[in-house]
Amino acid sequence: QLQPVESGGGLVQPGGSLRLSCATSGFTLNYYEIGWFRQAPGKEREGVSCIGSSDGPSFYEDSVKDRFTVFRDNVKNMAYLQMNSLKPEDTGIYYCALRYSSDFVCVTNRDLYDYWGQGTQVVVSS
């Protein structure tokens, strides 16, 4: 069964940084939109960022804009979420998801994504 695999989560102090990785072996990643989502305790899963298929543009929710950067390496079949200036409200389980799409512009609607990883925990706390 094809499934992305996240890694890179952990405990970090406020203001710190983490880089999450998403391994996508078995996929021809160039054809897939990549979304990053997170779920805080007691809350619904929400979209954080996405990047379009091929070399499409990226998108960020307001809560992470100018702090997070999403990028992809289609040759290595990897996706990444660089998270800087982390805040306690960034705490949650982070998921990588893939959506087969020919659209140039990505979306962060979780209902449109086909393949999900099992998540990696991020805790921002002093």
Side-chain angles (χ1 to χ4, degrees):
Q1 181 178 354
L2 293 177
Q3 183 178 36
V5 179
E6 304 93 337
S7 61
L11 172 64
V12 63
Q13 292 187 341
S17 298
L18 282 175
R19 176 176 291 186
L20 305 184
S21 299
C22 176
T24 65
S25 60
F27 294 91
T28 304
L29 192 59
N30 198 47
Y31 298 139
Y32 289 84
E33 198 169 300
I34 300 165
W36 284 96
F37 298 79
R38 68 185 179 192
Q39 188 164 15
K43 295 188 176 180
E44 291 191 353
R45 194 173 301 185
E46 62 176 0
V48 172
S49 178
C50 63
I51 186 167
S53 60
S54 186
D55 290 325
S58 54
F59 170 81
Y60 303 91
E61 295 293 338
D62 287 346
S63 58
V64 304
K65 199 172 292 184
D66 299 325
R67 298 189 298 121
F68 289 12
T69 303
V70 58
F71 55 105
R72 60 194 294 159
D73 186 330
N74 291 335
V75 174
K76 295 183 178 179
N77 271 359
M78 294 291 296
Y80 304 92
L81 184 68
Q82 177 67 41
M83 306 187 297
N84 299 329
S85 302
L86 283 161
K87 303 176 181 180
E89 51 263 44
D90 294 319
T91 293
I93 300 173
Y94 281 71
Y95 298 89
C96 169
L98 303 183
R99 173 184 178 229
Y100 187 84
S101 174
S102 59
D103 296 340
F104 192 62
V105 177
C106 64
V107 295
T108 53
N109 182 339
R110 66 186 186 191
D111 294 332
L112 298 180
Y113 281 79
D114 306 304
Y115 302 93
W116 290 83
Q118 294 193 337
T120 185
Q121 177 78 54
V122 172
V123 177
V124 184
S125 175
S126 55

